[in-house]
């Protein structure tokens, strides 16, 4: 893989890894026994591994491939495998967390294995580790194809991918040591946040530079979604993580905001993490891979533009629905509620657009589990956005908030929509990238589909039941005006649903393990198939490309 | 920057710029002469594996 970089690029990679290694050493020296110091050593190990890998091929001959005739897919390939690896780790942690709630003894009495520490390992592992790597990898794929241009750079995609994974490792290992700034989905401390800003800016510049090289006059709608994901996540991340470190030699920091402003900033961030990390980027995936797999153009391109702007402008305002019945001013709550209800329009426009694209190709959906993954993802996208708009209504929220209903809603989106569209896209793109005839085993894809679907349905139904039971028990009063149930009564009532939830999660995890196995076996054993390629056309030429055979 | 000022801006300017944006985008998305460009874009992804053009 290193042999495809030029000598100068290998040197640049070497310099970057040395600089990262030195920063790691500085962190280790400053932090000593503090978690910051341990993180310093993790950075040293990571950067050292990259350094040795680069050094090993520094004197290899220059690459002889013609870069003008092919896309650069090596970072995409590595990114997809990393995504599946994180899926297994993150979902495995999720099953453990779920099992701890059903059987608390599974904590095994260690500090690092307590619920509060391994839950963020699960959430960050699946959202950032699995989702983030899948987004970065597919965005590299999609931006090149839709622009008909090679990636603008050969070192920067590696920096983005590996730098992002270093962030994920720092985050996950930090949680186990008890490092957190107590902001949901933004738990990592200041030094990890600064590192992510650097990585993210490089990612944005890479995307824009690749788009600038494009040979298609119109920027395809999937790119708009990916760009919104990159740009808005940068803004959210920077603002929500504004903090003052207690000391430069320790991990602890204090937020720049306090009180209700802090809560508002956090949920402005938190809900837009759902909007721009877990929705916009994955809609980019949907708008590229679903038409591609169905071999039909998107049903209405005009509608896709309309829903793009609808989603970007409405979502930004919706965060305050997380703070109904709090110290937040009533009108801000109402604003969030109203925009959440309005969001149903562009969300259903996207889901409907995807399903209408499949109209006329239902036989493909029946026969092809990969396309079925994408179809069911669109259905779950429609369902969970409807549920979300509904739950944001203040009166509904008074029943649902702080209950397992919220957990069920999030997982309908995360498992049913985000994970299924990612798995569908991965199955669509792996044979293409590794130039294989097909996936190693279509039966395993079929098994994965049904495991994932049944796991999601079991999970979501268990949490609906649990959440509504819990919500109703909390608000039931006796005739004398006291609460009818103690907190422990609600726990006893929820226990069977917690067991069901752990089972649903375990089915979903099994599917992810099958996916990783299937992808590895495809790379190692599936028969090769070289695609027939055309001669490239230069951007100045106006005539169409001539097939290679002539 | 007081609470009153923020809420006044949100209730006046905030309302109208969002209305203007949504009208503008709707007009753009449904502008008749752009139909060909959109159709071309929608079809462009179906056959894009033959490599970059530069």
């Amino acid at each position: 893989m290193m042999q495809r970089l030029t000598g100068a690029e290998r040197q640049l990679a070497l310099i970057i890894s040395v600089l990262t290694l030195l920063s790691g050493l500085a962190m280790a020296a400053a932090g000593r026994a503090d978690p910051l110091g341990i993180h310093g050593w993790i950075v040293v190990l990571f950067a050292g591994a990259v350094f040795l890998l680069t050094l090993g091929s520094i004197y290899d001959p220059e690459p002889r491939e013609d870069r003008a005739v092919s896309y650069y897919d090596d970072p995409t390939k590595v990114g997809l495998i990393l995504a599946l690896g994180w899926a297994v780790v993150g979902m495995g942690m999720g099953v453990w967390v779920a099992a701890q709630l059903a059987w608390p003894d599974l904590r095994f009495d260690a500090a690092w294995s307590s619920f509060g520490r391994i839950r963020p390992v699960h959430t960050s592992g699946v959202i950032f580790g699995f989702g983030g790597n899948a987004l970065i990898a597919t965005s590299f794929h999609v931006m090149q194809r839709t622009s008909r241009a090679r990636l603008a750079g050969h070192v920067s995609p590696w920096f983005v991918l590996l730098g992002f994974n270093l962030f994920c490792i720092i985050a996950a290992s930090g949680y186990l040591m008890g490092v957190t700034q107590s902001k949901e989905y933004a738990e990592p401390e200041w030094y990890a946040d600064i590192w992510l800003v650097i990585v993210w800016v490089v990612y944005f510049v890479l995307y824009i530079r690749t788009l600038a090289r494009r040979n298609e006059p119109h920027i395809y709608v999937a790119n708009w979604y990916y760009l919104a994901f990159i740009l808005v996540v940068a803004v959210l991340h920077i603002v929500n993580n504004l903090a003052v470190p207690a000391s430069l030699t320790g991990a602890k920091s204090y937020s720049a905001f306090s009180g209700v402003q802090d809560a508002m900033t956090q949920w402005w961030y938190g809900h837009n993490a759902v909007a721009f990390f877990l929705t916009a980027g994955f809609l980019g995936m949907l708008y590229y891979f679903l038409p591609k797999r169905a071999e039909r153009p998107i049903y209405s391109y005009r509608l896709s533009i309309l829903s793009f702007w609808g989603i970007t402008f409405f979502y930004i305002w919706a965060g305050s629905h997380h703070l109904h019945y709090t110290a937040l001013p009533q009108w801000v709550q109402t604003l969030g509620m109203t925009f959440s209800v309005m969001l149903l329009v562009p969300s259903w426009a996207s889901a409907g657009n995807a399903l209408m694209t499949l109209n006329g190709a239902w036989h493909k959906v029946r026969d092809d589990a990969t396309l079925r993954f994408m179809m069911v993802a669109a259905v779950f996208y429609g369902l969970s956005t409807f549920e979300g708009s509904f739950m944001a209504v203040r009166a509904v929220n008074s029943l649902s908030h702080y209950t397992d209903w919220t957990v069920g809603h999030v997982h309908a989106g995360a498992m049913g929509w985000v994970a299924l569209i990612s798995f569908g896209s991965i199955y669509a793109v792996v044979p293409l990238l590794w130039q294989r005839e097909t996936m190693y085993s279509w039966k395993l894809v079929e098994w994965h589909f049904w495991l994932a679907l049944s796991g999601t349905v079991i999970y979501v139904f268990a949490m609906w039941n649990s959440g509504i039971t819990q919500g109703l028990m909390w608000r039931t009063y006796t005739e004398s005006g006291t609460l009818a149930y103690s907190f422990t009564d609600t726990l006893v009532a929820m226990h069977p649903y917690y067991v069901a939830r752990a089972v649903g999660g375990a089915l979903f995890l099994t599917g992810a393990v099958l996916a990783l196995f299937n992808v590895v076996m495809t790379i190692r054993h599936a028969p090769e198939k070289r695609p027939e390629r055309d001669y490239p056309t230069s951007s100045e030429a106006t005539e169409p490309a001539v097939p290679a055979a002539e | 920057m007081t609470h009153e000022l923020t809420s006044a801006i949100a209730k006046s300017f905030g309302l109208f710029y969002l209305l203007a944006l949504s009208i503008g985008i709707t007009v753009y998305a449904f502008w008749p002469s752009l139909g060909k460009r959109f159709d071309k874009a929608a079809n462009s992804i179906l056959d894009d594996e033959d490599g970059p053009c530069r």
Side-chain angles (χ1 to χ4, degrees), chain A residues 68-71 141 145-146 148-150 212-218 220 287-288 291-292 295-298 301-302 305-306 309 313 317 329 331 339 432 533-534 536-539, chain B residues 3-4 6-8 10-11 14 17-18 21-23 25-54:
Chain A
V69 298
S70 65
Y71 299 123
H141 181 87
R145 265 75 182 174
T146 52
R148 300 218 174 213
R150 193 174 161 106
R213 297 162 64 134
R214 75 185 185 280
N215 286 283
E216 290 283 344
H218 182 84
Y220 185 69
Y287 275 112
Y288 180 81
K292 186 94 180 150
E295 294 174 310
R296 299 162 68 83
I298 192 78
Y301 195 83
R302 293 175 191 274
I305 297 175
L306 212 57
W309 290 106
F313 280 105
W317 301 91
W331 71 269
F339 272 88
L432 187 81
R533 293 202 190 272
D534 292 348
T537 321
S538 82
S539 55
Chain B
H3 170 76
E4 282 74 26
T6 320
S7 96
K11 287 171 184 170
Y17 97 90
L18 276 176
L21 265 175
S22 34
I23 292 167
I25 286 150
T26 312
V27 168
Y28 167 73
F30 290 96
W31 199 259
S33 64
L34 291 175
K36 262 187 210 154
R37 183 196 294 186
F38 292 154
D39 286 344
K40 192 167 171 280
N43 283 293
S44 70
I45 61 158
L46 298 179
D47 183 25
D48 58 9
E49 278 305 321
D50 48 356
C53 301
R54 70 165 113 171

Side-chain angles (χ1 to χ4, degrees), chain A residues 114-240:
Chain A
S114 61
F115 179 85
R117 295 196 186 180
I118 62 171
R119 180 197 173 260
V121 178
H122 161 60
T123 52
S124 291
V126 290
I127 298 173
F128 301 116
F130 170 51
N133 274 305
L135 284 170
I136 292 174
T138 56
S139 74
F140 288 164
H141 181 87
V142 171
M143 73 166 99
Q144 295 186 84
R145 265 75 182 174
T146 52
S147 305
R148 300 218 174 213
R150 193 174 161 106
L151 277 179
H154 289 74
V155 179
S156 55
W158 289 112
F159 177 76
V160 172
L161 185 69
L162 298 178
F164 179 73
N165 278 279
L166 177 59
F167 168 79
C168 292
I169 293 170
I170 293 287
S173 58
Y175 306 151
L176 295 180
M177 292 188 283
V179 175
T180 176
Q181 54 179 6
S182 312
K183 288 187 167 224
E184 205 168 8
Y185 316 123
E187 291 94 345
E189 276 289 358
W190 58 277
Y191 48 95
D193 293 335
I194 293 172
W195 172 248
L196 188 63
V197 171
I198 299 170
V199 169
W200 218 252
V201 168
V202 175
Y203 187 19
F204 182 72
V205 170
L206 172 66
Y207 209 123
I208 292 290
R209 285 185 59 218
T210 307
L211 279 183
R213 297 162 64 134
R214 75 185 185 280
N215 286 283
E216 290 283 344
H218 182 84
I219 300 176
Y220 185 69
V221 65
N223 288 308
W224 288 93
Y225 280 101
Y226 278 119
L227 263 181
F229 146 65
I230 301 169
L231 181 66
V232 181
V233 165
V235 175
L236 298 167
H237 173 76
I238 291 171
V239 174
N240 190 41

Side-chain angles (χ1 to χ4, degrees), chain A residues 245-532:
Chain A
S247 136
L248 287 177
T249 60
K252 179 77 190 140
S253 71
Y254 291 92
S255 172
F257 308 99
S258 62
V260 76
Q261 278 92 349
D262 188 37
M264 184 63 247
T265 313
Q266 157 58 23
W267 286 109
W268 168 77
Y269 164 88
H271 199 74
N272 285 306
V274 177
F276 290 91
F277 209 101
L278 293 175
T279 303
F282 291 94
L283 280 171
M285 246 186 235
L286 180 83
Y287 275 112
Y288 180 81
F289 287 104
L290 184 131
K292 186 94 180 150
R293 187 72 182 184
E295 294 174 310
R296 299 162 68 83
I298 192 78
Y299 168 70
S300 167
Y301 195 83
R302 293 175 191 274
L303 193 59
S304 74
I305 297 175
L306 212 57
S307 37
F308 169 77
W309 290 106
I311 283 173
T312 38
F313 280 105
F314 290 173
Y315 251 124
I316 283 287
W317 301 91
S320 56
H321 71 225
H322 287 256
L323 298 166
H324 281 325
Y325 303 101
T326 63
L328 195 72
Q330 182 86 354
W331 71 269
V332 186
Q333 299 178 24
T334 310
L335 184 82
M337 172 176 115
T338 316
F339 272 88
S340 306
V341 173
M342 280 153 56
L343 257 175
L344 189 60
V345 177
S347 302
W348 273 29
S350 288
N353 211 349
L355 294 176
M356 288 302 283
T357 305
L358 296 174
N359 211 6
W362 291 110
H363 60 287
K364 288 184 187 166
V365 178
R366 184 192 61 206
D367 296 339
D368 179 7
T370 305
L371 190 57
R372 213 179 312 128
F373 264 110
M374 301 181 196
M375 189 277 285
V376 174
V379 171
F380 268 101
Y381 177 61
L383 288 177
S384 50
T385 46
F386 171 74
E387 190 188 24
S389 297
F390 183 61
M391 288 168 80
V393 176
R394 199 184 277 111
V396 181
N397 204 262
S398 71
L399 175 65
S400 75
H401 205 182
Y402 309 118
T403 71
D404 287 331
W405 188 356
T406 308
V407 182
H409 165 64
V410 171
H411 282 81
M415 295 158 90
W417 152 238
V418 168
L420 291 195
I421 189 67
S422 305
F423 286 132
S425 306
I426 288 172
Y427 286 132
V429 84
V430 161
L432 187 81
L433 287 182
W434 273 275
Q435 303 187 343
R436 305 293 164 195
E437 275 176 12
T438 167
M439 287 299 294
Y440 167 73
S441 162
W442 64 267
K443 278 188 181 168
L444 281 181
V445 181
E446 200 67 53
W447 267 98
H448 181 192
F449 173 78
W450 291 108
L451 281 169
L453 182 58
S454 51
T456 309
V457 170
I458 292 173
Y459 191 112
V460 172
F461 271 88
M463 289 297 98
W464 276 342
N465 279 316
S466 166
I468 293 174
T469 308
Q470 193 182 15
L472 290 175
M473 286 174 88
W474 284 349
R475 56 155 67 168
T476 305
Y477 291 89
T478 59
E479 279 180 19
S480 55
T482 59
L483 287 170
Y485 300 102
S486 72
F487 186 70
T488 316
D489 290 336
T490 66
L491 294 182
V492 173
M494 281 144 61
H495 186 256
Y497 304 118
Y498 279 6
V499 175
R501 184 244 301 263
V503 171
L507 293 180
F508 203 85
L509 169 68
T510 313
V513 173
L514 291 185
L516 179 60
F517 173 76
N518 204 358
V519 166
V520 170
M521 293 304 276
T522 304
I523 297 165
R524 298 182 59 179
H525 292 299
E528 268 199 46
K529 179 191 169 193
R530 297 257 165 219
E532 295 166 16

